[in-house]
Amino acid sequence: MLKIIQANTSLQTAIIQARITLDRAHVDSEITRMRAQVEAEAIVFQYKTEGELYKLISSTAWLNLTDDYFINYVAIRSMSSLKNPVYVALTGPAKTSYVIP
C-alpha cells in the first residue's frame, strides 16, 4: 500500500512539473511572437517613413536634386546609420603613360 501511495505521489509530481514546463513554454513562445511582431511593425514603419521622406525630397523642386545627388544622399544616410564599419576596396586610378615620339 505504501508503494502505491509513493507511486501516485511521484506521478502527481511529474504531472505538475509537466504542466509547469508546458505553461512556461507557452508563455515564452507568446513573448517571442509578440516581440517579433513589434519588431516587424517597427521595421515597416521605418521603411514607410523613409520612403515618404525620399519621395518628398525627390519631388521638392527647390532642392533641385539630380538623380545622382539623390542616390548619393540615400547612400550617405544608409552608411551613417550602420553600426559596423563598411570597407570598400577600389582599384586605383589608371596609370598614365607618356609616349615620346
Side-chain angles (χ1 to χ4, degrees), residues 82-96:
L82 296 176
K83 294 180 178 137
N84 297 321
V86 175
Y87 300 101
V88 178
L90 299 173
T91 59
K95 295 185 180 187
T96 56

Side-chain angles (χ1 to χ4, degrees), residues 61-79:
W62 61 268
L63 285 177
N64 199 21
L65 289 178
T66 64
D67 289 340
D68 288 339
Y69 286 129
F70 180 70
I71 290 171
N72 284 337
Y73 170 77
V74 171
I76 290 169
R77 290 267 318 231
S78 298
M79 298 288 277

